[in-house]
Amino acid sequence: MADASSDANDIEKLYVYGERLSEAKDKSQNVEDYNSIIEAAKSPSVKARQLAAQLIPRFFKFFPGLSGPAVDAHLDLCEAEELGIRVQAIRGLPLFCKDTPEHISKIVDILAQLLIAEENVERDAVHKALMSLLRQDVKASLTALFKHIESVDEPATDDNLRERTLIFIRDKVFPLKSELLKPQEQMERHITDLIKKSLQDVTGAEFKMFMDFLKSLSIFGEKVPPGRVQELVEIIEGQADLDAQFDVSDGDHVDRLISCLYMALPFFIRGASSSKFLNYLNKHILPVFDKLPEERKVDLLKNLAESSPYAAPQDSRQILPSVVQLLKKYMPLRKTGEEMNFTYVECMLYTFHHLANKAPNATNSLCGYKIVTGQPSDRLGEDFTEFYKDFTERLKCVEDLTKATMKKLTQGLGQQNKTITAISDEEKARIKTQKQNATTGLRTCNNILAMTQPLHSKSPSFIGDKRINLSWNEAVKTVAPANTSGGKRPANALNGSTNQLNKRGRGGGHQQGLSYSGRGGSRGGGQGRGRGRQGRGRGYYR
């Protein structure tokens, strides 16, 4: 009975303090009343502390001399054992900034630390409080939020806190970009700069999330000049670590490089330069192609093929020798009984045509052609007859193997069509998959023949337009990928195990754009709801 009476007395006093402050014309004179409200944060009464959580932020702006004790007391309420007190205190945090916007950064920092709350109602209160502050001052709020992501130099940062902050930004901030990012160009530039600072230590999935958001911004929209798009490519180049010495045994760098090249393709199409990627491939990757993991070779060749139409003439000339050398390696000189990797050949023939179309006379010394441009690089006075003979014999062998394979695939399709009626559903599904693979295989074969045929001429016309539709791109239109987050390439029926992707790789499979594994070092452990972590900014206002 005595406890109930004491609680009622504490609550009554708080109402009196609050009323006096509300009625006072010069509230700054009622220092004792506000001090008493601050002290009530330590009351044993749950209801008194809940009421204090309402009153402390309400009158905060009138007592700058008590800002330190007021915030510390309120943060204690944010960490109370009782859920109701915590939720009330969290709801009050934005009020500290309503008339004193200079405090936004620190309050957002405190709220960000509360994102790891376990109770849904508590986390919902944190989300609403953060959104309130984002609408008040998006620039200061975003800057404070991103500090919990760009924490390369802060190894004590909790991984769970970082993840929750990323989820909040992804789910709450990014979808409202048109509402929050105003003035548009200025704030889009600001969030772009924040994202750039956060990319030093991200997973493949996180990087893709950020890039998907950046390319949705108006400053990188479809109508911007290539120079602006180049900024996105430079971000991807940094993630691919193109300034690093390449170590073929570093599987993470291999994955990252191939994934980033795939991610950059749409920007090459829009006019950004592929020069740095192509030169890196030429210098570091193609010379050690055989040492790459089998499951990544086909991804690399497909990405290179799709990049080749957008290569600059100078880059085309530089990379052609490596491409021709690799092409010869996979185009047999004679039938040896070994299987030819048709997808590899399709990729490299396509790359060869598009690069040679940009620097045609470079093929004179590589393949023995006699293309006249009037430049010294034509090298027409030199005899490359043996190169021409070797190259065209390989083309003839490829064509023979391709035609034989087409015949087998066509016969197989006919047989499957006859037997598909009187079999089990499981067997039907298996045959359907085989038919899809065989159809893709036929497209690959048709492409190879279309690309080898013009190369028999002494002065061939190289294909530099879109008449060849790469076989896997057609397949993507009709076969939905199992995991839409990555853009995995379909396997080709022609190449057996050599083209099957290893699904046990990093990040749950070699998804284009998502495949490389996690961030750098550990960021330290969390402590439940985070009581006491980083001091919650205590003493900040003193």
Side-chain angles (χ1 to χ4, degrees):
M1 192 72 178
D3 288 344
S5 175
S6 176
D7 282 1
N9 187 44
D10 288 347
I11 294 168
E12 181 63 30
K13 286 180 179 178
L14 280 172
Y15 276 119
V16 171
Y17 302 145
E19 286 175 8
R20 281 208 294 255
L21 281 166
S22 295
E23 294 168 359
K25 291 184 178 179
D26 184 3
K27 294 176 175 44
S28 63
Q29 298 300 312
N30 296 57
V31 176
E32 287 304 317
D33 288 341
Y34 191 62
N35 226 343
S36 298
I37 292 172
I38 293 172
E39 289 299 317
K42 301 174 184 176
S43 170
S45 167
V46 172
K47 290 185 178 179
R49 281 184 285 154
Q50 277 186 292
L51 185 53
Q54 295 179 47
L55 296 175
I56 289 173
R58 184 182 300 172
F59 300 107
F60 174 75
K61 66 178 179 178
F62 300 108
F63 302 96
L66 293 175
S67 59
V71 171
D72 281 353
H74 201 82
L75 294 180
D76 285 335
L77 296 173
C78 289
E79 296 179 346
E81 292 294 335
E82 297 83 3
L83 176 62
I85 295 175
R86 296 201 304 271
V87 171
Q88 184 63 58
I90 289 166
R91 288 171 178 166
L93 282 171
L95 297 177
F96 284 102
C97 310
K98 186 175 182 181
D99 297 291
T100 50
E102 64 270 20
H103 301 318
I104 283 180
S105 294
K106 199 58 188 181
I107 296 301
V108 170
D109 177 66
I110 292 164
L111 283 165
Q113 294 181 53
L114 291 168
L115 282 169
I116 62 171
E118 296 168 0
E119 299 288 344
N120 287 336
V121 65
E122 185 177 3
R123 199 158 55 243
D124 184 59
V126 174
H127 289 174
K128 287 179 179 177
L130 281 170
M131 292 307 298
S132 173
L133 293 174
L134 279 161
R135 288 185 171 95
Q136 181 179 342
D137 188 337
V138 65
K139 185 174 184 179
S141 298
L142 284 174
T143 302
L145 272 175
F146 269 85
K147 284 182 180 177
H148 293 281
I149 302 171
E150 54 181 76
S151 45
V152 175
D153 298 324
E154 299 177 32
T157 301
D158 179 10
D159 256 337
N160 190 26
L161 169 59
R162 181 182 179 279
E163 182 181 351
R164 289 289 180 89
T165 306
L166 274 170
I167 291 171
F168 174 78
I169 290 172
R170 180 195 69 195
D171 294 347
K172 303 294 184 180
V173 178
F174 286 177
L176 295 178
K177 65 178 186 293
S178 58
E179 174 190 340
L180 295 174
L181 300 182
K182 294 178 180 178
Q184 188 179 51
E185 184 169 353
Q186 177 186 336
M187 289 314 306
E188 286 188 352
R189 172 50 57 192
H190 180 64
I191 198 169
T192 297
D193 292 340
L194 290 174
I195 287 172
K196 283 183 178 181
K197 292 178 184 176
S198 305
L199 296 178
Q200 298 178 56
D201 190 17
V202 291
T203 65
E206 290 167 359
F207 183 66
K208 183 180 184 301
M209 176 194 77
F210 281 131
M211 289 306 301
D212 285 345
F213 174 72
L214 287 178
K215 69 185 182 184
S216 75
L217 298 178
S218 65
I219 61 171
F220 300 115
E222 291 297 327
K223 295 182 180 180
V224 302
R228 184 72 65 82
V229 182
Q230 188 65 35
E231 184 178 350
L232 295 178
V233 171
E234 287 170 3
I235 293 172
I236 298 172
E237 288 171 350
Q239 191 68 14
D241 211 4
L242 297 184
D243 293 321
Q245 185 64 37
F246 182 69
D247 178 2
V248 73
S249 64
D250 184 352
D252 183 69
H253 192 193
V254 173
D255 286 351
R256 191 155 22 96
L257 178 71
I258 294 172
S259 298
C260 286
L261 177 56
Y262 179 76
M263 198 177 292
L265 284 172
F267 307 122
F268 299 156
I269 295 170
R270 292 174 59 188
S273 171
S274 60
S275 181
K276 194 166 183 178
F277 266 109
L278 292 179
N279 287 328
Y280 193 87
L281 292 178
N282 186 41
K283 182 178 179 181
H284 297 287
I285 313 300
L286 295 183
V288 294
F289 180 81
D290 287 346
K291 297 180 181 178
L292 291 175
E294 287 299 323
E295 68 273 10
R296 299 322 316 262
K297 287 180 179 179
V298 70
D299 283 337
L300 175 66
L301 291 178
K302 287 181 176 181
N303 290 346
L304 178 59
E306 292 193 61
S307 302
S308 62
Y310 313 103
Q314 183 178 355
D315 295 327
S316 300
R317 186 175 296 277
Q318 288 180 347
I319 199 173
L320 261 171
S322 298
V323 169
V324 171
Q325 184 177 355
L326 202 58
L327 179 58
K328 287 182 178 180
K329 178 177 176 60
Y330 289 98
M331 289 199 311
L333 186 58
R334 58 186 62 84
K335 297 176 185 178
T336 60
E338 294 183 15
E339 290 187 3
M340 183 178 79
N341 193 311
F342 289 80
T343 301
Y344 284 16
V345 173
E346 179 192 13
C347 289
M348 286 183 288
L349 280 172
Y350 186 89
T351 302
F352 173 74
H353 267 281
H354 281 276
L355 297 180
N357 183 64
K358 305 280 182 61
N361 66 350
T363 62
N364 292 353
S365 60
L366 296 172
C367 309
Y369 292 135
K370 292 194 177 294
I371 295 173
V372 180
T373 66
Q375 299 297 318
S377 52
D378 290 347
R379 299 176 66 176
L380 295 177
E382 300 177 58
D383 184 9
F384 298 112
T385 306
E386 287 302 315
F387 289 176
Y388 177 76
K389 181 181 178 183
D390 175 85
F391 195 67
T392 51
E393 283 182 3
R394 292 178 188 276
L395 290 172
K396 182 68 171 61
C397 184
V398 165
E399 289 168 342
D400 290 344
L401 290 170
T402 301
K403 290 173 182 176
T405 299
M406 289 180 75
K407 184 177 180 181
K408 290 179 183 178
L409 289 172
T410 304
Q411 289 173 344
L413 281 172
Q415 188 62 36
Q416 288 161 359
N417 289 332
K418 291 179 184 178
T419 59
I420 200 167
T421 52
I423 54 175
S424 67
D425 289 343
E426 183 178 342
E427 188 66 14
K428 283 181 181 179
R430 185 183 67 80
I431 290 178
K432 183 179 179 181
T433 301
Q434 288 178 343
K435 287 180 67 177
Q436 289 173 339
N437 288 341
T439 301
T440 301
L442 285 171
R443 284 199 296 268
T444 299
C445 289
N446 280 320
N447 281 345
I448 289 173
L449 293 178
M451 289 188 285
T452 56
Q453 188 272 329
L455 297 180
H456 290 280
S457 168
K458 278 276 188 179
S459 301
S461 295
F462 301 109
I463 298 170
D465 55 22
K466 297 181 179 180
R467 76 184 77 167
I468 301 294
N469 196 1
L470 290 163
S471 59
W472 60 88
N473 285 339
E474 288 195 17
V476 168
K477 294 177 185 177
T478 55
V479 182
N483 182 348
T484 56
S485 63
K488 186 166 72 173
R489 309 277 197 183
N492 190 302
L494 295 175
N495 307 301
S497 61
T498 58
N499 278 358
Q500 296 301 316
L501 298 184
N502 181 352
K503 295 180 175 59
R504 295 174 298 166
R506 295 171 180 77
H510 292 292
Q511 300 291 327
Q512 291 275 7
L514 286 176
S515 56
Y516 57 92
S517 61
R519 300 173 293 113
S522 170
R523 298 175 181 272
Q527 300 176 17
R529 289 190 306 105
R531 289 185 173 81
R533 274 193 351 276
Q534 301 182 23
R536 291 265 199 242
R538 280 174 171 54
Y540 177 77
Y541 296 96
R542 294 193 180 119

